[in-house]
Amino acid sequence: MTEQKLVTPAQNTWCPGCGNFVIQFALRDALRAAIERGTDPDSIVLVTGIGCHAKMADYLAVNSFYAIHGRTVPVATGIKMANPDLSVICCAGDGDAYAEGLDHLVFSAKRNSDITVIVHNNRVYGLTTGQYTPTSPYGFRGRSTPAGTVEPPLNPLALMLSSGATFVARGCTRRKKDLEGIFSEAMEHRGFAFVDVLQVCATYFNAADVYDRFVYPLEGHDTGDFAAAFRKAREWDYTSEGPIATGIFYRASRPTLEETMKPVSRAGKVPAETIAKILEARK
């Protein structure tokens, strides 16, 4: 598939400077690399939720599905269970994944669904003009919190590690090339792959200066060390200024949901002839 065919001619309506552009082209390059390694383009499915990020389904030329708000992850999980041969990528917003859809995110990590979840974390509800989200910094002043938020933000990396995710990473839209590499690694991972992408919202929460000053790539980090991953995940609290690591924090191997469900499905299968006998007896 050519580069042009991975991007649709649909009119783009993101704001100038939006971090979604970087995510789109990093994902495009990661998809192109996967296709060059032998992935069938027709086996790729992109699921998006509701919000600015969701337009990714319009702008990338792969099979796609719009889910309702907060239901991106269970739809992606269902698609993968129905056809385990598919490569299922799930794009969700921070409100989509960390608020309305939080329970789905936690349980998908716990079950180790074989999907890749990319959270466009601009730390604000951009499409609805600037309300705070679960990862907005403490004291954030937005349309719904003019006096500032009074609750600390979630740390999604620590949450995913606690929930059993077997691949946990963080990227930033100020570092496109690094982001592309993280996406490729996540898509290659067998099991639940989670990537929190710190994204600039040029209109309602432009944190570009903070990210430019504090984001740094993880180096010399043992991705198999769970305790070290947790310490790194908590190094930054999503509010205060300080080092913000990006890269792969943790990677592990264990059976996926699709693999563990197979024996159960076979054990519970009722032969067709048994069903026919029951129906015949009820005539």
Side-chain angles (χ1 to χ4, degrees), residues 7-11 24 46 48 54-61 64 66:
V7 176
T8 74
Q11 181 181 2
Q24 179 194 6
L46 174 65
T48 64
K55 298 173 185 175
M56 196 71 77
D58 295 330
Y59 304 152
L60 285 178
S64 59
Y66 269 112

Side-chain angles (χ1 to χ4, degrees), residues 117-167:
V117 177
I118 298 170
V119 179
H120 300 221
N121 189 0
N122 60 12
R123 308 168 68 198
V124 71
Y125 282 100
L127 191 66
T128 51
T129 68
Q131 296 81 13
Y132 84 106
T133 73
T135 51
S136 298
Y138 182 80
F140 173 80
R141 295 175 183 269
R143 295 286 291 268
S144 59
T145 52
T149 59
V150 294
E151 56 191 80
L154 286 177
N155 184 323
L157 273 69
L159 178 65
M160 286 295 92
L161 287 167
S162 302
S163 301
T166 53
F167 183 102

Side-chain angles (χ1 to χ4, degrees), residues 81-104:
M81 290 184 69
N83 187 348
D85 293 331
L86 296 177
S87 298
V88 183
I89 300 164
C90 175
C91 282
D94 48 317
D96 212 18
Y98 302 148
E100 289 88 347
L102 182 62
D103 53 345
H104 297 299

Side-chain angles (χ1 to χ4, degrees), residues 170 198 210-211 214-217 235-236 240 242-246 249:
R170 180 163 60 204
L198 298 174
V210 171
Y211 297 150
F214 295 111
V215 164
Y216 74 96
E235 183 178 52
W236 179 54
S240 57
I244 304 173
T246 57
F249 286 62

